[in-house]
Each structure stands twice: as structure tokens, then as C-alpha cells.
Amino acid sequence: MKELLKAMSSISLAEKVSLLPQALEHGELGIDFLIDCLEDPELEIRATAYQLLQDIKSQKVQQAITPGILFNPGDKIYHVVQSSMWFNDSFYSLYPSKTDSREINLCTQDDYRYQGYKIVSFEETAYIIGYAPYYLNYDRAKSKAESLHRKEILKISIGEFDLFNQKDQQKVINQWCQRYQILEEVKTLQIERDKQTDTVQFYQSQNDDDDLTEPEYIFWFTVEEYLKSSQKIDLLDQLWQDLIGKLADVYETCFQKKTYLTIDQYYSQILSKPEGISRYLFGVDEEELSSSSEEEINLLLTALNNSKLETRSLAYQLLQGIDSEKAQQAIYQGVKLKPGDIIYSVYQSGIGYTDEIYYYLRDDIDYLSRLLNQIENDCEYNYREYSQRIYCYTDKQKAEEVAEALHRKLVQSIKVPLEWRKENLEFDAKQWCLEHKIPYNNEWGKHKHNWEKNTFTAILEIKYLIRDDEKLTDNFRRSRYIYHPKHIDTWCKDNHICYEQICDENNTDYWHNYRKVLDYINLPENIELLSKFWKDGAGQFAFVKEEIVQQTVYVKVGHQLDCKSEEDKLFAVSKEYEAQAGKLLVKILEDRKSEQASRLKARKILQEFDWEEIPF
């Protein structure tokens, strides 16, 4: 260990990083050294130490790495972002990605289902975000972006983009081909294409020429076809950049304050070295796996049917990176989920509308409404109003990270006036009246077994009684609500925000101060406060639900689910569902007023599953 420390004291950063794995050969001393490296001034040292400690199962190591990698002010990471495309009536247009906004409004889901993007939400328009791996090293990120760009230009044709708005286009094409010395070859290919489409005969009839040795026109997609067929990828790359732009690029994130990030092994590439996840479960080294030998592929194919969901899921992830037709066919449908498997679904909250001008979040799952929608033909089901499963994962932590990221993204793009208030569930109207010497009429609570109606009646009556007393009215409201826009100072105090510095206490317009607080928490460095603000006062825009799979199904874990078509396909419910659904189904069967078709459907559902809660 002393020799390792001595060697690391006088070498370059890259050499230090390469030597760090040797610390694991020195037992506890090496582990303690790596834990110390988590606070090293150099980010690459911290990140590498964090990665090396992932497999150490001791309590002190897990405590040390639980917060994630430390990023100090000034540290930079680089993310590879795929450019977005917009489709008008005829052609695609390219929208290069930006550092401040990696989303773009799209028109319909069908247009972009096969474009390789993660679709976050669909209403009238859509928000999409490309897969964005992170790197510590700019050169690695640049190389990955270039590789992604070149991969995409082989799949997409420039003919799908609008190239007809250039002045003197034929002159431009000729000049471009001459510059790169491919004009004659492209002309030859264009003549061949003209012959195949009878264009030559048309030109001859127009020009009375027996033999055309020169094409009448050269098209950009002919240039592209020549470059692809002759494997001139460098020139193809240049063509795209000259005409359209880059399909992927690198953007930099510079941390402004001390931050910890937990890096997911399966999806992120923030570390400069391979994750090596395959050896954890299968004993196969990542570098060996990249060779994709038949034996290794067969090993992973066998794991796809393992009894453990964790094993099936990991095999699926590893096979995604293997360039083999057999491997890709095996994972085409996704991961095999079996009855009894536990999954963690990420739901996007629905949005309901109140009788006032406000919307409210439906950050729960109404399983019974969905069941009724199956049974009753006339049962309307508003997909926008109810929460929808948009991702599913086999790892709870990953699901929670995705849900939090989605929640934070959505709170930054709120487009409806959400009701922001948190009720005090312990509020007792009668007790409040007694404490403040307000006469309480017992007639207000005459509705038996209807606590909500009694409370609502009492509140209206009390508000009327104290309407002329401003202080008492404020006290009454603060007692009923933990948080409310009219006393935003309460939330500021609970979250250690200096209300006096942000707001004008003398301003009687409470909306003024409410907006001041919103402006403050919407600053980029206050994303955590913004996230908490909406969770406290409105609810979660995205949340995780642990569910039990009820039927065998194949699902692309971690990929966007199509709510309307995948809902019946992926039948996974909470633990409480069986008892609740069983009672509902039996009630429909026993209710003589139920439609005959509904009763038949209810009976069929009861017969299809082994309902332990219901005696037959």
C-alpha cells in the first residue's frame, strides 16, 4: 500500500486513475484509501473510486457511496444529446439540441414512435427527450456523439428533409461534388437512376437528343446514395453537416454548487470506464462480452427465461448492446414478466378540473375505475384525468430516480393553473370555534356518517360569522390549511427561505408575494425547492407504485409505454387490488340492476384469476 501511495504522488491524473483498482488488493487499507478518494479534488479520481467501491458490501462502504459522486463547483460533465426532428406536411426539419432545453413539441405520437426517442408525455402535443449518456471526459463524449451521428445518418435519408429551398441548387450540388472529387461518379449513378425511372426517355423527347451522356439534374439523395454505397462515411457525415446539421452533439454541464449524484449502473455512462455489470451476475467480463461469441450470447439467452426477474432483466439489458441478429430477435418484445413478479411502475399523474378556475393533480391510481371501464361499455374513462403508467422497472431505486426526474421536468413546464394548498387533516371546526369563542351550531353536523359534508357546511357558516374580522379570518384559514397561497410565508419558513427578502410584507395582494416566491424557486439552482414546493402544495407529477404482475407479458423495461394500448397488455396491480376488485365484481354480479353484458364480463374476470379473497 505504501508503494502504491508513493507511486501516485508523482504521476499524471490519467496514470493515477489507472492505478486506483490496485487499492482493492490491499484489503481494508485499500478500501479506506478509496473512501478517502471520494473527497479528492479531481473529479475523475472521485468517480473512479465511487465505481470501484460498488461491489464492496461492508456497511462503511455503503454509507460512503450512498449519497453518490461528489461534484464540486466548477466540475464539468458532458452529455451526448440526440437532435430532435419536427415533421411538417411534407418534410422533416432538424432541431439541434440545446443545453438549456432538450425537449421539443411534436405533433402526434405515431409520427415519432419509431424515431428512437423517449416520449415523456402526450396530450395535444408531445414532449420528448433523447437518451443522454454522461461522460467525465470531453473527448470520449465527442467520440460517442460522432458515433451516434454516423449511426443515425445511415438509417435516415436526407431525402426526408426539405432540400429544395436553395438558390441555384444544381450549381451548389455540382460545386459540392467537385470539391470532394466525386462529380463523375455521382453523374453516372444519376443516369442509372434516370434510366430505371424512364426519366432519360423524357429528357430525350424534350431535347431531341439520341444519347444523353450528362444527366439533366443531379439530386442530393443521389449524392447520398453514392456515398452510402461506396462506404464514404466521412463524406456522408460532411454532407449532413453541410445540408442539415448534426444528429447528435455534446453539451457541457458545469456545476454551480456542491452536488451529489447517484449514478445508475445500467443506463448512465458518466464514468470513463465500462461499467462491468455483466461480471457481477454472470461471471462474464464486459470486454469479453463485447466480442459477442455464440457461447456468451447463448448464456444470456438462457438467462432471459430465468426464474428470477432480476436475472432476466439484466440479461435483457446486456443483450441490447450486442450486434447480433439472434440477440436482437430474442429481446425484440422486451423482458418476460411472469405472474407474481414485482415491478415498480412510474406513473404520470392525471389532472382533474375543479368547479373553480383551478386544476388539481390525481397523484394516485384508481384501479377500480379502470376495472369498471373494462366491464361497463358506457363507462367513460378520461385518460388525461387519471394517472397513467409510462415506465416500468425491476429496480425500485431506478424507478424512483426516473419518477423524480420526470416530476422535476414537468414542474418546470406547468401550463395549467394548479391548485396549490395542503389541508390540515387534523383540523376540527367545532374545536376551533370553542377555542376562539365562536358559537358553534350542532345543526351543522346533522349529516350522519358524512364527515366531509359536515365539515364543508361548518366552514361556510364559520367564514360567514367571522367575515368582518381580518385577523380571525386569517387564523381560521391557517388552521384549516398547512399551506395556502394566502400565507405562503408558512412554506418559506418551513423550507428555510427568507420570506422578508423575497416578498413585500406590506403588499396586501397575496398573489404578488406568491408569484415572488415562484420566481425565486424557479431559478435554475433551486430545482430541489421547486420540486418540493409542488409536492407539498399540489402533489407529485410522477410517482412510483409497487405492483404485482398478474399475467405473462413481454415489456420493454425502462422504455416509454403507450398508455392506451399497453394498459391491458401489462396487467400489474397493487397488493390491495385483489380484495377491492373482488368485492366490486361480486357486487356487480349480485346487483340485479347491472347490465347483462357487464355481469357476464365480471363473471369472466372472476373465473380467469385465482382470487384468494373471494370464496366460490
Side-chain angles (χ1 to χ4, degrees):
M1 192 66 203
K2 289 181 179 179
E3 293 178 1
L4 178 61
L5 293 174
K6 183 178 179 181
M8 293 191 67
S9 64
S10 58
I11 55 178
S12 67
L13 175 60
E15 291 171 320
K16 287 180 181 179
V17 171
S18 67
L19 285 181
L20 278 180
Q22 295 183 20
L24 294 175
E25 301 172 5
H26 300 283
E28 288 298 317
L29 288 176
I31 290 173
D32 290 339
F33 170 68
L34 290 175
I35 291 175
D36 290 339
C37 286
L38 294 174
E39 302 289 332
D40 193 272
E42 295 292 344
L43 175 56
E44 288 197 47
I45 296 289
R46 299 196 299 272
T48 305
Y50 174 86
Q51 176 66 12
L52 292 170
L53 290 168
Q54 295 296 309
D55 287 337
I56 310 300
K57 302 303 180 184
S58 73
Q59 185 176 358
K60 67 177 180 181
V61 169
Q62 293 306 309
Q63 287 178 345
I65 66 174
T66 294
I69 298 175
L70 167 63
F71 291 87
N72 288 319
D75 282 341
K76 296 178 181 179
I77 56 176
Y78 306 93
H79 49 276
V80 176
V81 181
Q82 191 170 347
S83 299
S84 301
M85 290 184 291
W86 175 272
F87 188 75
N88 60 22
D89 293 338
S90 304
F91 298 102
Y92 284 97
S93 296
L94 195 65
Y95 282 76
S97 301
K98 300 178 182 178
T99 52
D100 57 343
S101 176
R102 279 173 274 156
E103 305 90 34
I104 190 70
N105 285 335
L106 304 179
C107 37
T108 69
Q109 182 164 355
D110 291 334
D111 288 339
Y112 299 91
R113 185 172 294 170
Y114 305 109
Q115 294 299 330
Y117 296 108
K118 293 180 180 178
I119 303 170
V120 177
S121 72
F122 269 104
E123 294 175 0
E124 287 81 7
T125 59
Y127 297 100
I128 61 170
I129 183 166
Y131 173 59
Y134 289 88
Y135 295 85
L136 300 182
N137 183 282
Y138 175 80
D139 291 334
R140 281 182 173 270
K142 191 70 176 175
S143 175
K144 180 64 178 179
E146 183 65 25
S147 175
L148 179 58
H149 168 75
R150 293 190 173 205
K151 179 181 178 181
E152 292 301 311
I153 63 179
L154 292 172
K155 296 191 298 184
I156 304 173
S157 172
I158 60 173
E160 296 176 2
F161 292 79
D162 187 1
L163 304 175
F164 300 99
N165 56 359
Q166 298 171 335
K167 293 182 178 179
D168 301 323
Q169 183 175 164
Q170 197 57 218
K171 182 179 179 181
V172 173
I173 295 175
N174 283 320
Q175 288 177 345
W176 196 92
C177 292
Q178 284 177 341
R179 185 188 315 152
Y180 295 106
Q181 301 177 357
I182 60 170
L183 181 58
E184 294 305 319
E185 292 87 344
V186 172
K187 284 182 178 180
T188 301
L189 180 59
Q190 186 67 63
I191 291 174
E192 291 178 7
R193 294 293 169 262
D194 291 344
K195 289 179 179 178
Q196 292 175 5
T197 58
D198 294 331
T199 308
V200 168
Q201 286 80 355
F202 175 77
Y203 290 154
Q204 287 175 340
S205 65
Q206 296 293 315
N207 296 288
D208 297 323
D209 196 340
D210 294 331
D211 184 24
L212 285 178
T213 57
E214 292 281 330
E216 189 75 11
Y217 295 101
I218 297 175
F219 299 99
W220 280 121
F221 51 80
T222 308
V223 179
E224 179 190 37
E225 182 183 352
Y226 167 73
L227 295 175
K228 284 184 176 180
S229 62
S230 59
Q231 292 295 304
K232 296 183 183 296
I233 306 303
D234 289 339
L235 271 185
L236 181 64
D237 184 348
Q238 188 65 50
L239 179 69
W240 269 82
Q241 294 192 42
D242 289 345
L243 293 183
I244 302 167
K246 302 181 74 171
L247 291 178
D249 208 349
V250 176
Y251 293 94
E252 175 187 287
T253 295
C254 184
F255 289 84
Q256 302 300 314
K257 60 183 180 180
K258 188 174 180 180
T259 306
Y260 285 90
L261 290 181
T262 302
I263 307 305
D264 182 84
Q265 295 181 54
Y266 301 152
Y267 298 98
S268 294
Q269 298 180 30
I270 193 169
L271 301 175
S272 300
K273 53 182 286 185
E275 291 94 331
I277 57 176
S278 55
R279 70 171 184 273
Y280 298 157
L281 195 56
F282 301 113
V284 179
D285 188 85
E286 189 84 16
E287 294 181 2
E288 295 176 4
L289 184 65
S290 64
S291 63
S292 304
S293 68
E294 281 297 311
E295 184 179 351
E296 291 157 351
I297 292 174
N298 290 335
L299 175 66
L300 293 174
L301 293 179
T302 301
L304 287 175
N305 291 300
N306 193 280
S307 59
K308 292 183 178 180
L309 177 57
E310 179 187 8
T311 303
R312 300 198 300 272
S313 178
L314 182 53
Y316 170 77
Q317 297 297 337
L318 293 173
L319 285 165
Q320 285 184 315
I322 295 179
D323 186 14
S324 159
E325 184 177 352
K326 179 164 69 171
Q328 296 307 308
Q329 285 181 348
I331 63 173
Y332 175 74
Q333 299 180 82
V335 177
K336 185 177 184 180
L337 301 180
K338 301 178 180 179
D341 282 342
I342 302 295
I343 63 171
Y344 300 93
S345 297
V346 176
Y347 281 84
Q348 182 171 328
S349 301
I351 297 181
Y353 186 68
T354 67
D355 293 335
E356 302 173 10
I357 63 170
Y358 295 109
Y359 290 84
Y360 65 95
L361 285 181
R362 294 291 298 266
D363 56 349
D364 58 356
I365 306 169
D366 193 345
Y367 290 107
L368 296 186
S369 291
R370 299 179 186 212
L371 181 60
L372 276 172
N373 186 56
Q374 281 184 269
I375 296 172
E376 300 180 5
N377 294 326
D378 60 344
C379 180
E380 294 184 5
Y381 186 78
N382 188 337
Y383 279 90
R384 286 189 64 180
E385 184 175 351
Y386 295 97
S387 301
Q388 298 296 326
R389 182 194 291 115
I390 55 173
Y391 296 101
C392 82
Y393 291 92
T394 57
D395 179 75
K396 183 178 181 181
Q397 182 178 344
K398 177 61 185 176
E400 289 174 343
E401 289 174 1
V402 169
E404 177 62 21
L406 180 55
H407 168 79
R408 293 187 179 193
K409 175 187 179 297
L410 294 174
V411 297
Q412 294 178 82
S413 57
I414 299 173
K415 297 180 180 179
V416 294
L418 278 173
E419 185 178 55
W420 189 87
R421 57 187 64 180
K422 182 177 182 180
E423 293 186 25
N424 180 1
L425 298 179
E426 297 179 359
F427 174 72
D428 187 326
K430 186 175 184 178
Q431 182 62 33
W432 187 89
C433 286
L434 291 174
E435 291 175 358
H436 295 85
K437 299 179 181 180
I438 303 296
Y440 184 86
N441 189 340
N442 288 325
E443 288 295 311
W444 297 342
K446 65 181 179 180
H447 302 284
K448 292 183 179 180
H449 312 300
N450 196 330
W451 178 87
E452 288 187 3
K453 185 173 287 189
N454 290 338
T455 302
F456 181 72
T457 303
I459 287 172
L460 289 178
E461 295 290 348
I462 295 169
K463 287 172 69 176
Y464 180 77
L465 289 173
I466 64 175
R467 65 188 183 281
D468 296 327
D469 191 326
E470 187 175 333
K471 288 186 177 180
L472 203 56
T473 299
D474 183 67
N475 181 290
F476 184 58
R477 185 179 59 253
R478 288 176 183 267
S479 299
R480 289 165 46 217
Y481 295 106
I482 297 174
Y483 298 129
H484 191 281
K486 287 189 176 181
H487 49 87
I488 190 69
D489 57 305
T490 304
W491 186 84
C492 291
K493 181 180 178 181
D494 289 348
N495 290 278
H496 311 292
I497 297 173
C498 187
Y499 176 79
E500 292 77 11
Q501 291 182 4
I502 299 173
C503 303
D504 182 3
E505 292 184 278
N506 297 321
N507 194 322
T508 57
D509 181 6
Y510 72 90
W511 283 115
H512 173 80
N513 290 337
Y514 179 75
R515 292 191 196 99
K516 284 280 188 181
V517 173
L518 274 178
D519 289 342
Y520 174 75
I521 63 176
N522 270 286
L523 294 174
E525 60 267 27
N526 292 328
I527 181 63
E528 291 183 13
L529 278 175
L530 181 64
S531 172
K532 189 173 187 298
F533 175 81
W534 288 109
K535 284 182 181 178
D536 287 347
Q540 299 181 89
F541 284 72
F543 59 93
V544 176
K545 189 74 174 179
E546 180 180 310
E547 296 178 316
I548 304 172
V549 177
Q550 303 296 307
Q551 295 175 320
T552 299
V553 64
Y554 288 86
V555 174
K556 293 185 178 181
V557 172
H559 286 233
Q560 171 77 27
L561 301 178
D562 179 356
C563 298
K564 294 183 181 179
S565 64
E566 298 278 350
E567 196 62 36
D568 294 335
K569 176 184 173 184
L570 178 53
F571 184 23
V573 295
S574 65
K575 294 179 181 178
E576 302 80 21
Y577 174 79
E578 183 174 316
Q580 296 170 353
K583 291 177 182 178
L584 175 63
L585 293 169
V586 171
K587 183 179 178 180
I588 292 172
L589 284 173
E590 294 177 346
D591 188 356
R592 295 182 179 180
K593 295 181 180 180
S594 299
E595 295 286 339
Q596 181 67 19
S598 298
R599 295 172 70 182
L600 288 173
K601 287 182 181 178
R603 180 175 295 279
K604 182 180 179 182
I605 293 173
L606 282 168
Q607 292 172 343
E608 284 179 352
F609 298 96
D610 183 16
W611 301 82
E612 297 179 1
E613 299 283 340
I614 307 170
F616 287 101

